[in-house]
Amino acid sequence: MATLTYTVFSLGDAQLHQLHTAQGKMFVMGEVAVELFQESPTSFLQEMRKAKYQRQASSDRDVLHTTAELHLPVESTATTAGITLLPAATVEALLVDKRKLELVQPFKLALLKLASQEAARLMAAGDYEAALPVALDAVQQGQALFKPAPALQLFPLYLLAAQANLGLRRAKQCEDFLALASWLAMKEPQLTSNVMKSQLSRLYGQLYAFQGRQRDALNAFAEDVYYCSLEHGPEDVRSSVGYYNMGRVFAATDDAMKATACNDMVAQVWHAALCRVVLGVAMSPEGAMEQAPPAELPIGRLQLMEVVDMLMDIGRARSGALGPSHTTVGDMCFVTALALIQLEEGDRAAEQLETARRLLPDSDLQRIRLVDMANIMLGAVAAQ
């Protein structure tokens, strides 16, 4: 018996739990009755039976356990006949039929947001096979929600579908969704932000790189850096992905000098940001270490996990070009360790710090002090 995964979202003053069951994502009928309609679960179930709404009775032990653990209201017959579960379509139909029309649009938007977040989470984990149907479902939900005219709200949904298709090496389908997103951006230029232009350019760059169109890929990634820099600044961590992607293109075209320059920029940006966030220190223009005010990264956990992969890839590139014992390889191990400390992945962070300490020269007192500070922070995180 285990607790099911569930999602919580709000509708006005109400709060609902969507259980991730073996039969799909379902709402507990009793909670819907009480939270949305202020009715008792037992009488509400009788009404549902008369109107023949789609529902499902479940005696699954995990469902029963999760419902009890969350203290969700259920009908009086739940102990013998099971708990009644409702799909999203039934909840929407109930809102319409019971004249709760002011909640229909927020309900649809909440479901759309959850689908988008799930698709993004699956892609961050590399599970594009599972992400694609979720992303396509989000597109369909969005198209139904924002019809009749295509709206700019569909832009991020088209990008999700494009990214999922690209992850499965389906270039044509990816390009089709990018074309839809581009059309929306051209249709509403005043409402298309620099961040949106950056995201679109980045995906075009990834598509072109996959197709072997390196010049087009480089131009697209340069546009990504441009728009991201306009929004956040050229030395912001959110601009670093564009530099990294440009470096990969330069490496693919055997332009080692430019590839190294791009990777160095990524390392510099993340070294400064993570020293500030994790260790609370910054470097003065003269190179002296000084205390920095508290700061946070402007990205979430899933994105930081991708950053770790990026930093480790740059470390491998440096190792291949300069040798595995080069000082700059130690620098990348140190920066990667800080990212892992931020993620609270202690064992991996310890490995990176150990390698950094071994590769960095004893004579470089500032570097050694930073590694020592990182080890202290790692111990503090582990003790929490």
Side-chain angles (χ1 to χ4, degrees):
M1 188 162 50
T3 301
L4 295 172
T5 301
Y6 60 88
T7 306
V8 183
F9 61 92
S10 299
L11 280 178
D13 295 330
Q15 186 180 73
L16 296 179
H17 296 75
Q18 189 182 45
L19 306 186
H20 299 193
T21 73
Q23 289 71 41
K25 296 178 180 177
M26 297 285 190
F27 295 91
V28 175
M29 185 276 298
E31 184 181 41
V32 170
V34 172
E35 289 287 323
L36 295 184
F37 305 108
Q38 294 75 52
E39 297 184 25
S40 76
T42 302
S43 60
F44 193 78
L45 177 58
Q46 292 173 351
E47 291 181 34
M48 289 194 65
R49 285 171 176 163
K50 292 177 183 178
K52 298 183 179 179
Y53 287 103
Q54 183 183 355
R55 62 192 186 280
Q56 184 177 88
S58 175
S59 298
D60 181 85
R61 295 179 65 188
D62 293 341
V63 170
L64 298 176
H65 171 73
T66 305
T67 304
E69 190 174 59
L70 295 172
H71 304 290
L72 303 183
V74 296
E75 61 271 33
S76 59
T77 57
T79 54
T80 56
I83 293 172
T84 301
L85 302 177
L86 307 178
T90 297
V91 177
E92 182 181 338
L94 286 165
L95 289 172
V96 173
D97 294 345
K98 288 182 168 290
R99 303 295 189 270
K100 292 278 188 176
L101 300 181
E102 73 281 4
L103 295 180
V104 173
Q105 188 83 345
F107 181 69
K108 290 181 177 180
L109 287 171
L111 290 175
L112 179 59
K113 181 180 179 180
L114 292 174
S116 301
Q117 290 174 340
E118 183 179 2
R121 178 184 61 79
L122 290 168
M123 284 189 281
D127 193 353
Y128 292 96
E129 197 75 45
L132 180 59
V134 179
L136 294 178
D137 180 59
V139 168
Q140 290 180 339
Q141 288 184 47
Q143 288 173 334
L145 190 57
F146 300 114
K147 65 183 182 182
L152 199 59
Q153 289 93 330
L154 292 171
F155 182 91
L157 305 180
Y158 289 150
L159 293 192
L160 276 177
Q163 186 178 355
N165 275 293
L166 185 59
L168 293 174
R169 308 174 71 85
R170 299 171 57 171
K172 177 63 170 61
Q173 292 87 340
C174 172
E175 197 160 15
D176 288 344
F177 280 110
L178 288 179
L180 290 171
S182 298
W183 181 76
L184 289 177
M186 288 188 291
K187 182 170 170 280
E188 301 281 0
Q190 300 303 319
L191 299 177
T192 305
S193 67
N194 289 324
V195 172
M196 295 166 70
K197 294 174 184 176
S198 167
Q199 293 169 339
L200 182 62
S201 297
R202 184 175 302 173
L203 271 172
Y204 264 119
Q206 292 170 348
L207 172 64
Y208 293 149
F210 171 71
Q211 294 173 324
R213 298 162 57 182
Q214 303 298 354
R215 183 179 294 276
D216 291 333
L218 189 60
N219 289 336
F221 288 138
E223 288 182 357
D224 170 23
V225 171
Y226 171 73
Y227 289 122
C228 209
S229 297
L230 283 179
E231 186 71 21
H232 306 297
E235 296 184 3
D236 188 276
V237 294
R238 287 162 288 192
S239 301
S240 69
V241 178
Y243 297 122
Y244 170 69
N245 285 326
M246 289 176 67
R248 286 170 61 90
V249 175
F250 283 129
T253 55
D254 296 322
D255 194 334
M257 185 176 297
K258 291 181 180 178
T260 299
C262 289
N263 287 342
D264 288 349
M265 184 64 177
V266 176
Q268 174 186 324
V269 167
W270 278 100
H271 184 281
L274 289 169
C275 279
R276 191 179 304 113
V277 171
V278 178
L279 303 181
V281 298
M283 301 301 166
S284 70
E286 296 76 26
M289 192 187 308
E290 54 189 30
Q291 187 173 359
E296 294 182 359
L297 290 175
I299 62 173
R301 180 178 178 83
L302 292 178
Q303 290 172 298
L304 187 57
M305 291 168 62
E306 294 176 343
V307 167
V308 168
D309 293 336
M310 177 179 73
L311 296 175
M312 294 187 73
D313 186 50
I314 293 175
R316 287 190 293 268
R318 285 185 173 181
S319 179
L322 304 172
S325 300
H326 198 273
T327 301
T328 60
V329 178
D331 288 333
M332 289 311 304
C333 290
F334 168 72
V335 177
T336 304
L338 293 184
L340 290 167
I341 291 173
Q342 183 70 9
L343 289 169
E344 299 183 359
E345 295 192 19
D347 291 342
R348 294 177 67 195
E351 290 177 8
Q352 293 293 321
L353 285 175
E354 183 180 348
T355 304
R357 183 64 185 84
R358 177 168 50 83
L359 297 180
L360 296 176
D362 292 335
S363 57
D364 195 329
L365 299 181
Q366 189 177 79
R367 278 185 169 122
I368 298 304
R369 183 184 174 194
L370 285 171
V371 172
D372 290 342
M373 291 174 66
N375 272 310
I376 292 171
M377 182 58 66
L378 177 60
V381 171
Q384 290 178 353

